[in-house]
Amino acid sequence: MHVFLLFSDEKVTLKFQNMYVKSIILLCLLGFCQLSHAKYGFRGEQEWGFVTVRPGAHMFYWLHYTTANVSSFTEKPLIIWLEGGPGLSSTGYTNFKEIGPFYLNLTSRPHTLIKDYNILFIDSPVGTGFSYADSDNAYPKTNEQVAKDLISFTEEFFKNFPILSNVPTYIVGQSYGGKIAPIFAYEWLKKIESGWNITNLKGIGLSSAWASPVHNVLSMGPYLCENGLINANDTKMIEDCAFKANISSSMKDWRAAALNMLKTLAEIQNCKKNLNFYNIFSEVDHENYSPYDEDEPKVQHLMNTIVKSALKLPETSNFHIDTKPNDEYLYEQTMKPVTKKVEYLLAQPNFKVFVFNGKLDLLVNPKGTFHWVENLTWKNSSKWLEARKKQLIINKSIEGYVKAFENLRMYWVNRAGHLIAVDNPVATRKILKDLTSD
């Protein structure tokens, strides 16, 4: 997430920074047509800029160097973080609402992951956040195109920051980003097979991942019933809607599957008012199943004012919280599973696949996630199924459970909903430590 606060009483610091900025502003202004970057030394060090990933499509990134007590930032892994949506900004939303050095009100976040890792936030897909398209034709129309854009970005990024090309790198995909992450990793490893020399990708973390949507949709009714939130009649009505989504998915009628998924969510809202789909034991206004939408205008304002000014972005750049283009163009991609890509990743030697789910999440509920994970076909499938859950104990407290064999792990995280890093940062840090350890 950021270092960009400029206070009015810091005149000396500001004067020095302005002298420094003048020397790099040309690079920033050229950022729309090529990769640009500039180190900024206010409360931390970052790189940021734009990459043209294909004609008319430009992707914005913001790299935060770790603040860990190390002699070089290269001693810590690099995490590429992809947010959900399919068009929710990583540089804005993930940064300020989840894991960056500052909260949305610009106070310090004690559990920021910048303390442990170099974090690369990317506004993906094109059209999200500061990323932009020159025309409607340049918006990605498939998940595969989103992943290929990320590959184009990654190739250019490491050309410009070769020192990071040998740093162990991990992709973490949150929510819809957890659908893109396996495709991104798949494309990356395929490029390595064809001779690409960027071989530092070591694993992926799938956090509340929308990786096999139909499993999660089918499990919503039973999950709510098991937690005592609805009765048997409500469960049946929800399951009837979910079954239609399942039929559409099996026929690969992805538009109908997406529509029936939305009808299932609407039926849940009808059965259980004020339910927070992201955390079942908290409430929201009955007209809105997400408690986070109210912060979107705040994120947009912050990014278009303080952040844009501090990073000296061109006046023409505009941060978009409205994801309508991506919602429309990727609508038919919503219910497509990516489990085959996960199986490919599990077949790669020494490549880690970690799946973590908040136990209070309805949208990506742990019941549905476990169903698709246990149905994965790979060489250690039977041994993984035989493995027993173990307690995830941190500081003598049970923070969840983990089931593991070889390179596959699944975590059930206590006291956490959809945004695990927000609800249980202690467990998140432990999971990521396990992911990034040799």
Side-chain angles (χ1 to χ4, degrees):
M1 338 198 269
H2 8 313
V3 172
F4 45 74
L5 304 180
L6 298 179
F7 297 106
S8 59
D9 58 342
E10 295 179 298
K11 295 180 180 178
V12 175
T13 302
L14 180 58
K15 181 177 179 180
F16 175 79
Q17 290 170 341
N18 285 339
M19 292 174 61
Y20 176 71
V21 166
K22 287 179 181 178
S23 67
I24 61 169
I25 194 168
L26 180 59
L27 286 177
C28 291
L29 291 172
L30 292 174
F32 281 123
C33 60
Q34 61 184 350
L35 180 69
S36 65
H37 58 87
K39 185 169 291 187
Y40 188 78
F42 184 75
R43 294 190 178 183
E45 295 181 340
Q46 304 94 42
E47 312 284 354
W48 63 89
F50 295 85
V51 173
T52 297
V53 294
R54 52 190 162 80
H58 316 274
M59 191 168 282
F60 180 75
Y61 71 94
W62 195 356
L63 169 68
H64 285 256
Y65 291 113
T66 183
T67 58
N69 185 21
V70 290
S71 58
S72 170
F73 64 86
T74 58
E75 296 178 33
K76 290 293 185 178
L78 171 67
I79 291 180
I80 300 175
W81 196 286
L82 305 178
E83 191 48 78
L88 197 57
S89 166
S90 175
T91 67
Y93 195 89
T94 312
N95 191 347
F96 292 99
K97 287 292 295 178
E98 298 181 30
I99 64 172
F102 298 110
Y103 290 111
L104 190 54
N105 63 5
L106 304 183
T107 58
S108 296
R109 176 179 281 111
H111 292 288
T112 175
L113 295 182
I114 308 299
K115 291 182 177 180
D116 303 308
Y117 307 100
N118 302 290
I119 306 286
L120 177 57
F121 300 107
I122 307 174
D123 283 344
S124 174
V126 169
T128 299
F130 281 124
S131 295
Y132 70 103
D134 291 342
S135 67
D136 287 349
N137 291 333
Y139 286 107
K141 307 302 191 297
T142 66
N143 294 326
E144 286 70 24
Q145 183 61 66
V146 174
K148 289 181 183 298
D149 286 347
L150 286 166
I151 287 294
S152 296
F153 164 84
T154 303
E155 188 168 17
E156 193 68 20
F157 178 83
F158 284 117
K159 283 181 183 177
N160 285 269
F161 301 102
I163 193 172
L164 287 167
S165 62
N166 293 319
V167 172
T169 299
Y170 301 82
I171 301 168
V172 175
Q174 155 78 20
S175 195
Y176 202 93
K179 180 196 288 287
I180 300 300
I183 311 175
F184 181 20
Y186 170 86
E187 296 289 345
W188 190 325
L189 295 181
K190 281 294 185 181
K191 278 185 69 74
I192 292 175
E193 288 181 9
S194 64
W196 202 28
N197 62 351
I198 306 299
T199 60
N200 56 344
L201 183 62
K202 304 300 180 184
I204 63 170
L206 305 180
S207 178
S208 305
W210 191 245
S212 184
V214 71
H215 282 92
N216 287 113
V217 174
L218 287 171
S219 298
M220 287 178 178
Y223 170 76
L224 289 173
C225 188
E226 290 169 6
N227 281 279
L229 295 176
I230 59 175
N231 59 32
N233 289 334
D234 292 336
T235 304
K236 185 179 184 307
M237 288 189 290
I238 294 169
E239 286 186 309
D240 287 345
C241 289
F243 181 72
K244 293 176 182 178
N246 184 37
I247 293 297
S248 300
S249 295
S250 65
M251 297 173 63
K252 299 188 185 304
D253 186 348
W254 301 117
R255 176 167 286 274
L259 177 61
N260 286 317
M261 178 270 291
L262 292 176
K263 288 182 177 179
T264 304
L265 300 186
E267 185 61 43
I268 292 172
Q269 286 179 295
N270 183 56
C271 292
K272 181 65 178 177
K273 304 295 184 183
N274 300 90
L275 179 66
N276 179 351
F277 283 38
Y278 283 8
N279 189 314
I280 60 171
F281 290 148
S282 61
E283 294 185 346
V284 294
D285 186 287
H286 72 279
E287 295 180 353
N288 184 2
Y289 60 75
S290 167
Y292 303 101
D293 290 349
E294 64 185 38
D295 286 331
E296 290 185 0
K298 298 176 185 178
V299 174
Q300 180 165 309
H301 177 74
L302 176 65
M303 297 298 286
N304 276 322
T305 55
I306 297 176
V307 173
K308 180 176 175 179
S309 174
L311 299 186
K312 302 300 180 185
L313 298 182
E315 285 299 319
T316 52
S317 61
N318 188 28
F319 183 90
H320 294 281
I321 203 69
D322 181 7
T323 61
K324 185 177 180 181
N326 286 317
D327 288 344
E328 290 180 351
Y329 291 128
L330 295 174
Y331 178 75
E332 292 190 21
Q333 304 287 300
T334 305
M335 291 295 289
K336 288 186 176 182
V338 293
T339 48
K340 293 300 180 183
K341 296 295 190 296
V342 176
E343 290 173 349
Y344 170 85
L345 299 177
L346 287 171
Q348 308 310 304
N350 303 315
F351 191 88
K352 293 183 179 180
V353 176
F354 280 26
V355 181
F356 31 112
N357 222 120
K359 293 174 70 175
L360 306 180
D361 185 6
L362 171 62
L363 280 179
V364 184
N365 56 80
K367 187 179 183 72
T369 297
F370 180 66
H371 282 171
W372 72 257
V373 172
E374 70 177 348
N375 282 299
L376 291 171
T377 301
W378 56 300
K379 64 179 181 180
N380 289 317
S381 298
S382 59
K383 293 181 179 179
W384 190 88
L385 289 172
E386 293 171 0
R388 293 183 176 181
K389 281 186 184 180
K390 294 183 179 180
Q391 294 177 336
L392 182 66
I393 300 177
I394 307 171
N395 298 327
K396 299 182 180 180
S397 176
I398 300 176
E399 299 294 344
Y401 299 85
V402 58
K403 182 180 177 70
F405 189 84
E406 294 294 337
N407 55 331
L408 174 63
R409 293 191 189 187
M410 179 175 174
Y411 295 81
W412 292 257
V413 183
N414 289 346
R415 299 180 300 282
H418 195 66
L419 301 183
I420 301 171
V422 175
D423 295 338
N424 196 329
V426 173
T428 300
R429 293 183 77 175
K430 169 61 176 171
I431 293 169
L432 293 181
K433 182 179 180 180
D434 292 344
L435 173 65
T436 59
S437 299
D438 292 335

